[in-house]
Amino acid sequence: MTAFNTVTVRSRVDGQLVSVAFKEGQFVHEGDLLAQIDPRPFQVQLEQAQGQLAKDQAQRKDAEVNLERFKLLFNEGVIPQQQLDTQGALVGQFDGAIESDQSQINNAKLQLTYSRITAPISGRIGLRLVDVGNIVHATDSTGLLVITQLQPISVIFSLPQDQLPQVNAKLHGGVQLTVDAYDRDDTAKLASGKLQTIDNQIDLTTGTYKLKSMFTNADNSLFPNQFVNVHLLVDTLHNLTIIPTAAIQRGPQGTYVYAASKDPVSKETSAKIYPVTIAQTTGNSVGLSAGLNPGDLVNVQVDRLRARRRI
């Protein structure tokens, strides 16, 4: 099983971790508050930047008033052009300083926002990686916690390349193929999903190709990195007789089974060889298109069994 998204949540600012708003194993939604970094240093930076902005705005206003006076004096021939241009440049300097102050304010607000760490995705939280009171840094590699998306979840599996045309034809034909996930023993069904896509190349070393399926995982029964056995339903064959795989025997005469045969005269039951035609093998079951009828009794323990001997 493979998670669609796994995020290691880290702090984007340096500071002391003052609170943790989550519990280990909790499911969170995107945007939920996870932790709080001490916001006071960033609040101070914001206030300093706002104070500098107010100062520069006041100085610009004074410079602009003087510029209007210099224009009148220049028109009357009292001051030279150079003095008027210098005053105009001073107003432009204060315009640049105000823009710089505003960027400092925006940066301080951004740092203040980063002090509140929120969930970037919806998912399940793992074990906490840091405790309240620690100093965290933006360069820390371990992070604060890991969020793993469980809904939906995917499984990546491989099939032999000989089966690619059959699966690919169904997928491109718009058929939604069903994928069932079973436990490690391949006995208990865990969940059902849908085939999502096929990889764009075949593995040369194994002669197989990868497929990706998606499971809604509404009950959270599947976990990332969990091993499962996958059953992909590509087609349904009808009118087949199903018998256990252990009953199939192979010999010079081809594929056959030992089935119970009752003598109509003596009423005795004996084993008889029945040639069969295999249409499909899936897991521990074999579908026969010819050779047996539904209800026939076959023997699955044939170590010492021979045809025409009594059972």
Side-chain angles (χ1 to χ4, degrees), residues 63 67 70 82-95:
L67 178 61
F70 284 8
Q82 181 181 1
Q83 190 172 357
L84 177 62
D85 294 341
T86 301
Q87 188 63 29
L90 182 61
V91 174
Q93 291 178 8
F94 284 120
D95 287 337

Side-chain angles (χ1 to χ4, degrees), residues 11-275:
S11 173
R12 301 183 70 172
V13 295
D14 299 344
Q16 184 180 23
L17 185 64
V18 294
S19 67
V20 172
F22 66 89
K23 295 181 179 180
E24 295 173 324
Q26 176 185 347
F27 282 87
V28 295
H29 299 282
E30 181 179 352
D32 288 352
L33 178 65
L34 300 177
Q36 177 73 59
I37 305 296
D38 187 1
R40 291 175 297 178
F42 312 112
Q43 184 65 43
V44 171
Q45 294 176 7
L46 175 60
E47 292 172 356
Q48 289 177 340
Q50 289 174 337
Q52 184 64 42
L53 175 62
K55 177 183 176 181
D56 289 339
Q57 286 177 336
Q59 290 179 334
R60 184 197 182 281
K61 185 176 182 180
D62 179 65
E64 188 175 12
V65 171
N66 289 332
L67 178 61
E68 295 300 324
R69 293 194 185 102
F70 284 8
K71 287 181 179 179
L72 294 176
L73 295 175
F74 173 76
N75 292 334
E76 295 176 358
V78 177
I79 61 174
Q81 178 71 40
Q82 181 181 1
Q83 190 172 357
L84 177 62
D85 294 341
T86 301
Q87 188 63 29
L90 182 61
V91 174
Q93 291 178 8
F94 284 120
D95 287 337
I98 289 173
E99 290 185 7
S100 177
D101 294 339
Q102 189 61 56
S103 67
Q104 293 296 324
I105 291 175
N106 294 337
N107 180 67
K109 288 181 178 179
L110 184 61
Q111 302 302 308
L112 197 59
T113 301
Y114 287 159
S115 68
R116 297 182 75 259
I117 301 175
T118 58
I121 63 172
S122 299
R124 185 177 185 270
I125 295 177
L127 301 179
R128 188 172 67 240
L129 303 179
V130 66
D131 297 323
V132 174
N134 283 277
I135 302 298
V136 296
H137 304 85
T139 57
D140 291 343
S141 59
T142 55
L144 306 178
L145 66 144
V146 177
I147 301 178
T148 303
Q149 182 181 350
L150 299 181
Q151 299 173 343
I153 195 171
S154 66
V155 60
I156 299 176
F157 60 99
S158 300
L159 287 177
Q161 61 180 351
D162 295 340
Q163 298 177 351
L164 176 59
Q166 184 181 7
V167 177
N168 197 37
K170 292 284 186 179
L171 192 62
H172 286 281
V175 179
Q176 191 70 267
L177 299 180
T178 300
V179 180
D180 294 329
Y182 284 75
D183 62 2
R184 180 177 290 273
D185 296 331
D186 205 14
T187 55
K189 181 179 176 180
L190 301 177
S192 292
K194 299 295 182 180
L195 183 64
Q196 188 176 28
T197 186
I198 299 176
D199 199 4
N200 59 358
Q201 59 183 345
I202 295 175
D203 190 339
L204 295 177
T205 59
T206 61
T208 61
Y209 61 98
K210 293 181 179 180
L211 304 94
K212 185 176 183 180
S213 58
M214 184 177 67
F215 295 78
T216 57
N217 199 27
D219 58 354
N220 297 308
S221 60
L222 303 175
F223 277 80
N225 300 328
Q226 177 184 0
F227 178 84
V228 295
N229 288 290
V230 172
H231 295 192
L232 173 63
L233 179 60
V234 180
D235 201 356
T236 301
L237 303 180
H238 300 275
N239 301 321
L240 298 183
T241 303
I242 308 300
I243 65 172
T245 304
I248 297 295
Q249 304 296 312
R250 290 175 173 83
Q253 64 271 46
T255 305
Y256 62 95
V257 299
Y258 285 102
S261 176
K262 191 172 184 179
D263 190 280
V265 178
S266 63
K267 305 300 182 180
E268 295 181 347
T269 300
S270 59
K272 181 179 179 181
I273 292 179
Y274 287 84

